[in-house]
Amino acid sequence: MQVSVVAFKNKKLPQTQTPFSVLFVCLGNICRSPAAEGVFTYFVKKRGFDSKIRIDSAGTINYHEVGISVNVLYEIEISFLRKQLLFLVFFMMGFFRLFKKLIFFLKGNQTDSRMRAASKRCGIEITSISRPIKSSDFVEFDLILAMDKQNRERGYMEAFNRWKFRDPLPEDAHKKVRLICSYCKKHDETEVPDPCYGGPEGFKKVLDMLEDACESLLENILAENKHIQES
């Protein structure tokens, strides 16, 4: 009995590995980023790593148009006069007109029907519901991939610089934010274009770019995180 107890005490119990997490980001989270989420999910499931890699997508537009007003008007204790002045500024900027246009996003909506149709023809199903970016994304995700430079710089980087004074975020969290096209091998573009204002060929082009980037992305993640394949 004594030997078995010692053996049990010295035995190393298996540790549960936290899934590697990837977040895809575009402006409204209704076209490019959910498409990237769907494409990457397809490759991850195909390789059998869906329980070891967490995938999500988000949009930066809520941060610009609504997040600032919420933070300023409700999270900071300011005078009534200041509130009136801020209200006037937001009104002059057409805040309410923008809000009406974006209300569908704030409630959470499906991906653009044209993108869902284009992806379905490629054998990829997109089921995600739109959501805005949040400060916890910098903590919860290992990699944050933006569709273009504006989403990276004016979206996540501005959000990080604002939130880091309010929330306990890692100092180097901004290093997690990269451009998804940096993983492309077959395409020379540095950004994924927004296809919403073009024809059907635009959606197919975006899917081709995302397939290129996501396939390479998965290989890169597996190469840098050996435990995903070993566990």
Side-chain angles (χ1 to χ4, degrees):
M1 288 294 295
Q2 185 67 26
V3 175
S4 62
V5 170
V6 172
F8 178 77
K9 287 183 177 180
N10 292 334
K11 184 179 180 180
K12 291 184 178 180
L13 297 176
Q15 295 182 343
T16 303
Q17 291 284 353
T18 302
F20 187 91
S21 52
V22 181
L23 180 69
F24 296 98
V25 182
C26 69
L27 185 64
N29 192 216
I30 58 167
C31 189
R32 291 172 293 173
S33 58
E37 178 186 351
V39 171
F40 191 54
T41 298
Y42 170 82
F43 284 118
V44 169
K45 284 187 175 181
K46 186 177 180 181
R47 297 283 296 275
F49 298 124
D50 44 308
S51 64
K52 301 173 183 177
I53 299 179
R54 176 192 173 195
I55 311 167
D56 198 2
S57 63
T60 62
I61 201 167
N62 190 34
Y63 164 74
H64 285 299
E65 310 305 339
V66 180
I68 294 177
S69 64
V70 173
N71 291 338
V72 173
L73 296 179
Y74 295 101
E75 294 185 10
I76 301 177
E77 186 176 351
I78 57 177
S79 66
F80 176 78
L81 178 60
R82 270 180 147 183
K83 288 184 179 181
Q84 296 305 307
L85 290 174
L86 285 169
F87 176 82
L88 179 61
V89 170
F90 283 123
F91 181 82
M92 293 175 65
M93 292 172 61
F95 173 77
F96 291 108
R97 289 194 297 273
L98 287 171
F99 182 79
K100 288 180 181 179
K101 293 180 181 179
L102 300 175
I103 191 66
F104 71 94
F105 170 68
L106 300 179
K107 291 181 178 178
N109 266 248
Q110 288 185 315
T111 303
D112 186 296
S113 59
R114 294 167 296 174
M115 178 57 84
R116 282 186 283 129
S119 64
K120 191 172 184 178
R121 287 192 290 270
C122 297
I124 297 171
E125 185 177 6
I126 302 176
T127 59
S128 63
I129 299 298
S130 64
R131 75 163 176 89
I133 60 175
K134 51 189 179 181
S135 61
S136 59
D137 289 340
F138 285 104
V139 178
E140 296 176 6
F141 290 91
D142 299 299
L143 196 57
I144 300 172
L145 298 174
M147 298 297 113
D148 58 44
K149 295 175 183 177
Q150 183 178 27
N151 298 149
R152 182 186 64 182
E153 301 301 330
R154 295 181 60 188
Y156 254 86
M157 296 314 299
E158 283 189 5
F160 173 77
N161 290 329
R162 177 178 296 273
W163 287 332
K164 69 180 181 181
F165 297 108
R166 185 194 69 187
D167 301 324
L169 301 178
E171 284 296 325
D172 62 344
H174 62 282
K175 295 180 180 179
K176 297 179 178 182
V177 186
R178 305 176 189 175
L179 290 175
I180 189 171
C181 281
S182 64
Y183 291 93
C184 285
K185 290 184 176 181
K186 303 174 185 177
H187 294 80
D188 298 326
E189 292 90 343
T190 58
E191 300 178 304
V192 177
D194 188 344
C196 290
Y197 304 101
E201 66 281 353
F203 293 90
K204 181 62 169 62
K205 169 69 174 178
V206 166
L207 287 170
D208 288 342
M209 293 179 66
L210 292 177
E211 287 180 13
D212 180 16
C214 287
E215 192 169 16
S216 175
L217 169 63
L218 179 56
E219 294 302 328
N220 185 274
I221 291 175
L222 295 177
E224 295 182 357
N225 301 270
K226 301 292 187 182
H227 66 275
I228 294 178
Q229 299 184 71
E230 296 171 352
S231 58

